[in-house]
Amino acid sequence: MSQHTADPMLSALTRLLEESHIAAPDQLPAAIAAAGRELGWSMALYLCDYEQRRLVPIPTPGASAREPLGIDSSLAGVAFQRVRPMHGSDEPSRVWVPLVDGVERLGVIEVTLSTGTDPDAPEVQHRLRLLALLSAHLVAVKMPYGDGLDRYRRTQQRTVEAELLWQLLPPFTFGCPGLVVSGVLEPCYEVAGDAFDYSVTDGTAYLLVLDSTGHDLTSGTLAAAALAAARKARREGLGLVPTVELVDATIGTHFGDERFATGVLGALDIATGQLQYINAGHPAPLLMREGKVVKSLDQGRRPMFGLGDHGGVTVAREQLERGDRVVFYSDGVTEARGTGGGFFGLDRLIDTLGRGAAADQRGPETLRRVIHDVLDYQGGVLQDDATLLIAEWASGAEDQLFPV
C-alpha cells in the first residue's frame, strides 16, 4: 500500500481505491468504512432491494447490526428518492448520502460525522459527494464478480426463468447529456417473458421493450434469444428494419408456430430528438409533453415477432420536443387485475404518470412509484409480467439524478 498523503480527503480516496483494488464484492463495505475513518467519520453501506421498497444494510465485520429502512418511510429513503444528501435537524451528525453510479441509484451511505462537523458546510458536502461517487462506482464494478452484495438485495428466491432474464438486462438507469433512460420490471422474482434493453452509441439511443408469450422457462429463453438477436444486429450497425427482421426470424426459426413475442424497437437521435420506431403487436408507447400524456405513438405497426412480416415493415417517425418523455410499457401494466376484478387500465397509468410529473419526479422515481401502484392494485401478486421503460429527451435536468 502506498504512503497516504497529508490531505485527509485524498488519503480517504486513496485508501478506498487501494483496499478495493483486489477486494471481493462483499469486502467493499469494509473498504468504504476504512475510507471514512481517514476523515474521522463512520460510514455504512445500504443497497436498494430489487423491489425498490427497502434500503438493506450490508454487514461490515465488527460493526453493530442495522435494520432495513423503508424507502417511503425514512430519511434515508428521502435521500434515495431525491438524490440529495439528507440529515435530520435533531441529529445533524448523521447524514444519508445517495449512492449513485452515473445516474443509477444503488442505495445510500450512512455517514456519522465527527463531533462539531457542520454537515452543510461546502467542504463537507464536497467530501461526502466524492466518497459516495467513488463508492457507488466500485459497487457497480464489483457486483458482477460475486454474489456477496446481490444476496442482500433479494427478499425471496427467484425462479430459474427470472434468474435467466435478470442476467441479461442492462442497468436500470442510464444518463448522458440530453438523455435519461430508466426501466423497471416486475415481478422481480418470477418474471419470465418480459424484457427491456437500451444502448447509446454514436449519438443514437436504441430502445427495446419485449413481451414473449407464456410464463415459463421457454418464455424466458425466447426473450433471451430475441434480446441477443437485437443486440447482434445493433452491434453490426444494422438499421431498425433488418434488426426487426432478425428478431422475427430468430423466434420463428427456433420456437415454432406456437411461440411469439410483441415488442417495440426504437432509435432516438439525441442531437435532433427524432424518434424512429417499429411496433410488433405491442401496446403503443405514450408521449408525454409538459407533464401530460399528449398522444399514443401508434404507427409503425407490423405483426408480432415470430409470425413473419407479411408484406413489409413501415418505420414510424416522431419529432420530440425538449423535455418530452416517451413511455414504453407491456400489457402486464394496464391489464393488472385488481381484487375487485377491474383492470389497472390505461387511464390510471396516464394519471399516475401525470402525478409524477406534477411532483417534479424524474423518470426513475416515477417508474418506481408506477410499478408499486400496479403491484398494490393487484394485491402484491402480478398475474403477468409488467415492464416500463421511459426515455427523457433534452430535459436539461439530467444532473438532478446526480448527487450534489
Side-chain angles (χ1 to χ4, degrees):
M1 182 178 293
S2 62
Q3 185 176 359
H4 293 165
T5 175
D7 181 342
M9 187 66 237
L10 185 56
S11 179
L13 296 176
T14 300
R15 179 97 180 244
L16 180 53
L17 284 170
E18 289 179 336
E19 296 209 1
S20 65
H21 183 60
I22 58 172
D26 56 354
Q27 294 172 321
L28 272 180
I32 292 170
R37 287 195 292 271
E38 295 288 333
L39 297 168
W41 300 348
S42 172
M43 298 176 64
L45 176 67
Y46 288 70
L47 294 181
C48 174
D49 72 359
Y50 280 106
E51 296 159 299
Q52 298 189 71
R53 292 189 183 272
R54 302 192 309 166
L55 295 164
V56 184
I58 311 301
T60 302
S64 57
R66 291 172 165 82
E67 294 295 322
L69 302 170
I71 291 177
D72 295 308
S73 60
S74 69
L75 190 59
V78 174
F80 177 86
Q81 293 177 47
R82 298 182 182 176
V83 199
R84 294 289 185 273
M86 301 295 298
H87 63 83
S89 57
D90 58 336
E91 196 176 12
S93 64
R94 176 180 294 182
V95 184
W96 299 98
V97 186
L99 191 72
V100 182
D101 180 49
V103 297
E104 183 180 18
R105 303 178 299 177
L106 301 175
V108 297
I109 296 179
E110 178 191 18
V111 182
T112 303
L113 303 173
S114 52
T115 303
T117 302
D118 179 4
D120 295 318
E123 179 61 24
V124 174
Q125 291 284 312
H126 179 66
R127 291 178 173 184
L128 289 170
R129 178 174 177 271
L130 289 181
L131 273 175
L133 287 175
L134 181 55
S135 298
H137 182 65
L138 290 170
V139 168
V141 168
K142 291 287 187 178
M143 190 89 74
Y145 293 100
D147 302 323
L149 296 177
D150 181 84
R151 65 186 178 186
Y152 290 104
R153 302 182 65 193
R154 303 181 180 217
T155 61
Q156 56 185 285
Q157 295 182 350
R158 275 196 186 136
T159 62
V160 172
E161 48 267 35
E163 198 70 63
L164 170 67
L165 282 180
W166 272 82
Q167 299 310 309
L168 298 175
L169 296 176
F172 271 34
T173 303
F174 169 78
C176 64
L179 179 73
V180 173
V181 180
S182 187
V184 66
L185 182 63
E186 284 284 357
C188 294
Y189 303 100
E190 296 178 354
V191 63
D194 276 19
F196 68 85
D197 195 22
Y198 64 82
S199 174
V200 177
T201 306
D202 295 332
T204 299
Y206 299 93
L207 309 164
L208 172 64
V209 171
L210 188 77
D211 181 1
S212 62
T213 55
H215 200 79
D216 53 20
L217 185 55
T218 301
S219 303
T221 305
L222 189 154
L227 285 176
R231 288 170 176 171
K232 167 184 163 60
R234 185 185 74 217
R235 290 164 181 166
E236 292 177 359
L238 303 183
L240 286 183
V241 172
T243 299
V244 165
E245 291 173 343
L246 181 58
V247 173
D248 179 79
T250 300
I251 295 174
T253 299
H254 297 285
F255 294 90
D257 298 333
E258 297 182 357
R259 292 281 184 166
F260 51 87
T262 69
V264 182
L265 186 69
L268 174 61
D269 187 316
I270 299 175
T272 67
Q274 181 161 115
L275 173 69
Q276 301 181 61
Y277 66 93
I278 296 172
N279 189 323
H282 199 79
L286 303 173
L287 176 61
M288 296 187 69
R289 181 165 294 157
E290 296 180 354
K292 298 180 180 180
V293 173
V294 295
K295 66 185 298 187
S296 295
L297 303 181
D298 56 3
Q299 304 300 307
R301 291 284 183 174
R302 57 143 288 147
M304 292 179 283
F305 295 126
L307 301 182
D309 59 33
H310 301 292
V313 177
T314 300
V315 179
R317 290 174 171 80
E318 184 72 26
Q319 181 59 51
L320 303 186
E321 296 182 8
R322 292 187 176 277
D324 281 358
R325 297 180 179 184
V326 181
V327 182
F328 304 80
Y329 65 96
S330 67
D331 60 11
V333 174
T334 52
E335 295 180 6
R337 193 180 293 274
T339 55
F343 290 125
F344 187 81
L346 182 58
D347 289 344
R348 188 175 276 105
L349 171 60
I350 290 173
D351 178 67
T352 306
L353 291 169
R355 283 189 282 110
D360 200 29
Q361 297 165 2
R362 305 285 16 120
E365 181 61 19
T366 295
L367 292 195
R368 187 185 76 86
R369 298 193 184 200
V370 169
I371 204 68
H372 288 172
D373 282 354
V374 173
L375 279 162
D376 294 343
Y377 183 79
Q378 202 162 354
V381 181
L382 289 176
Q383 302 303 312
D384 191 11
D385 299 341
T387 301
L388 288 154
L389 182 72
I390 188 169
E392 301 179 79
W393 180 65
S395 67
E398 292 84 7
D399 61 353
Q400 290 187 19
L401 292 168
F402 192 73
V404 294

Short mmCIF file of all heavy atoms in Angstrom, two decimals, residues 174-177 179-181 198-207 234 268 270:
data_model
loop_
_atom_site.label_atom_id
_atom_site.label_comp_id
_atom_site.label_asym_id
_atom_site.label_seq_id
_atom_site.Cartn_x
_atom_site.Cartn_y
_atom_site.Cartn_z
N PHE A 174 -29.74 4.93 -17.02
CA PHE A 174 -28.54 5.46 -17.68
C PHE A 174 -28.80 6.90 -18.06
O PHE A 174 -29.92 7.27 -18.46
CB PHE A 174 -28.20 4.66 -18.94
CG PHE A 174 -27.14 5.31 -19.79
CD1 PHE A 174 -25.81 5.21 -19.44
CD2 PHE A 174 -27.47 6.06 -20.91
CE1 PHE A 174 -24.81 5.83 -20.20
CE2 PHE A 174 -26.50 6.68 -21.67
CZ PHE A 174 -25.16 6.56 -21.32
N GLY A 175 -27.78 7.73 -17.95
CA GLY A 175 -27.94 9.11 -18.34
C GLY A 175 -26.71 9.64 -19.05
O GLY A 175 -25.58 9.22 -18.77
N CYS A 176 -26.92 10.55 -19.98
CA CYS A 176 -25.85 11.27 -20.65
C CYS A 176 -26.43 12.62 -21.05
O CYS A 176 -27.65 12.83 -20.95
CB CYS A 176 -25.34 10.49 -21.88
SG CYS A 176 -26.57 10.28 -23.19
N PRO A 177 -25.63 13.57 -21.47
CA PRO A 177 -26.19 14.86 -21.87
C PRO A 177 -27.30 14.70 -22.90
O PRO A 177 -27.10 14.11 -23.96
CB PRO A 177 -24.98 15.61 -22.44
CG PRO A 177 -23.81 15.03 -21.71
CD PRO A 177 -24.14 13.57 -21.54
N LEU A 179 -30.17 12.99 -22.43
CA LEU A 179 -30.98 11.78 -22.35
C LEU A 179 -30.85 11.12 -20.98
O LEU A 179 -29.75 11.01 -20.43
CB LEU A 179 -30.54 10.77 -23.41
CG LEU A 179 -31.29 9.43 -23.42
CD1 LEU A 179 -32.70 9.60 -23.97
CD2 LEU A 179 -30.54 8.39 -24.22
N VAL A 180 -32.00 10.67 -20.46
CA VAL A 180 -32.03 9.75 -19.33
C VAL A 180 -32.97 8.60 -19.70
O VAL A 180 -34.09 8.84 -20.15
CB VAL A 180 -32.51 10.42 -18.03
CG1 VAL A 180 -32.68 9.38 -16.92
CG2 VAL A 180 -31.53 11.49 -17.58
N VAL A 181 -32.51 7.36 -19.55
CA VAL A 181 -33.31 6.17 -19.81
C VAL A 181 -33.43 5.39 -18.52
O VAL A 181 -32.43 5.19 -17.81
CB VAL A 181 -32.67 5.28 -20.89
CG1 VAL A 181 -33.54 4.05 -21.16
CG2 VAL A 181 -32.48 6.05 -22.19
N TYR A 198 -31.52 -1.23 -23.86
CA TYR A 198 -31.18 0.06 -24.45
C TYR A 198 -29.68 0.10 -24.69
O TYR A 198 -28.91 -0.66 -24.10
CB TYR A 198 -31.61 1.23 -23.55
CG TYR A 198 -30.90 1.26 -22.22
CD1 TYR A 198 -29.62 1.81 -22.08
CD2 TYR A 198 -31.50 0.73 -21.08
CE1 TYR A 198 -28.97 1.82 -20.86
CE2 TYR A 198 -30.84 0.74 -19.86
CZ TYR A 198 -29.58 1.29 -19.76
OH TYR A 198 -28.93 1.29 -18.57
N SER A 199 -29.28 0.98 -25.56
CA SER A 199 -27.86 1.23 -25.82
C SER A 199 -27.72 2.61 -26.41
O SER A 199 -28.57 3.05 -27.19
CB SER A 199 -27.29 0.19 -26.79
OG SER A 199 -25.95 0.50 -27.15
N VAL A 200 -26.69 3.34 -26.01
CA VAL A 200 -26.42 4.65 -26.58
C VAL A 200 -25.09 4.59 -27.29
O VAL A 200 -24.04 4.35 -26.67
CB VAL A 200 -26.42 5.75 -25.49
CG1 VAL A 200 -26.06 7.11 -26.10
CG2 VAL A 200 -27.78 5.82 -24.82
N THR A 201 -25.12 4.78 -28.61
CA THR A 201 -23.93 4.64 -29.44
C THR A 201 -23.94 5.70 -30.53
O THR A 201 -24.95 5.86 -31.22
CB THR A 201 -23.87 3.25 -30.10
OG1 THR A 201 -23.99 2.23 -29.09
CG2 THR A 201 -22.56 3.05 -30.85
N ASP A 202 -22.84 6.42 -30.66
CA ASP A 202 -22.69 7.42 -31.73
C ASP A 202 -23.87 8.38 -31.78
O ASP A 202 -24.38 8.73 -32.86
CB ASP A 202 -22.50 6.74 -33.08
CG ASP A 202 -21.21 5.93 -33.17
OD1 ASP A 202 -20.25 6.30 -32.46
OD2 ASP A 202 -21.18 4.94 -33.92
N GLY A 203 -24.34 8.80 -30.61
CA GLY A 203 -25.39 9.80 -30.56
C GLY A 203 -26.80 9.28 -30.78
O GLY A 203 -27.74 10.08 -30.88
N THR A 204 -26.98 7.97 -30.84
CA THR A 204 -28.30 7.38 -31.01
C THR A 204 -28.61 6.46 -29.84
O THR A 204 -27.78 5.64 -29.44
CB THR A 204 -28.39 6.57 -32.32
OG1 THR A 204 -28.15 7.45 -33.43
CG2 THR A 204 -29.77 5.94 -32.48
N ALA A 205 -29.82 6.62 -29.30
CA ALA A 205 -30.28 5.74 -28.23
C ALA A 205 -31.20 4.68 -28.84
O ALA A 205 -32.21 5.01 -29.46
CB ALA A 205 -31.04 6.53 -27.17
N TYR A 206 -30.82 3.42 -28.68
CA TYR A 206 -31.62 2.30 -29.16
C TYR A 206 -32.43 1.76 -27.99
O TYR A 206 -31.87 1.45 -26.93
CB TYR A 206 -30.72 1.22 -29.75
CG TYR A 206 -29.90 1.71 -30.92
CD1 TYR A 206 -28.62 2.21 -30.73
CD2 TYR A 206 -30.42 1.69 -32.22
CE1 TYR A 206 -27.86 2.68 -31.80
CE2 TYR A 206 -29.67 2.14 -33.30
CZ TYR A 206 -28.39 2.64 -33.08
OH TYR A 206 -27.65 3.11 -34.14
N LEU A 207 -33.74 1.62 -28.18
CA LEU A 207 -34.65 1.26 -27.10
C LEU A 207 -35.48 0.05 -27.52
O LEU A 207 -35.92 -0.04 -28.67
CB LEU A 207 -35.59 2.43 -26.80
CG LEU A 207 -34.91 3.80 -26.57
CD1 LEU A 207 -35.91 4.92 -26.67
CD2 LEU A 207 -34.19 3.82 -25.22
N ARG A 234 -27.77 -4.66 -33.79
CA ARG A 234 -27.37 -3.30 -33.40
C ARG A 234 -25.87 -3.15 -33.44
O ARG A 234 -25.34 -2.14 -33.95
CB ARG A 234 -27.91 -3.03 -31.99
CG ARG A 234 -27.67 -1.62 -31.48
CD ARG A 234 -28.13 -1.52 -30.04
NE ARG A 234 -27.21 -2.19 -29.13
CZ ARG A 234 -27.57 -2.88 -28.05
NH1 ARG A 234 -28.85 -3.02 -27.76
NH2 ARG A 234 -26.65 -3.43 -27.28
N LEU A 268 -33.56 6.77 -31.16
CA LEU A 268 -33.71 8.20 -30.88
C LEU A 268 -32.41 8.93 -31.17
O LEU A 268 -31.37 8.61 -30.57
CB LEU A 268 -34.12 8.41 -29.43
CG LEU A 268 -34.18 9.86 -28.93
CD1 LEU A 268 -35.21 10.67 -29.72
CD2 LEU A 268 -34.48 9.90 -27.44
N ILE A 270 -30.19 11.68 -30.42
CA ILE A 270 -30.11 12.52 -29.24
C ILE A 270 -29.88 13.99 -29.61
O ILE A 270 -30.33 14.89 -28.92
CB ILE A 270 -29.01 12.01 -28.29
CG1 ILE A 270 -29.34 10.58 -27.82
CG2 ILE A 270 -28.87 12.92 -27.07
CD1 ILE A 270 -28.26 9.94 -26.98
#
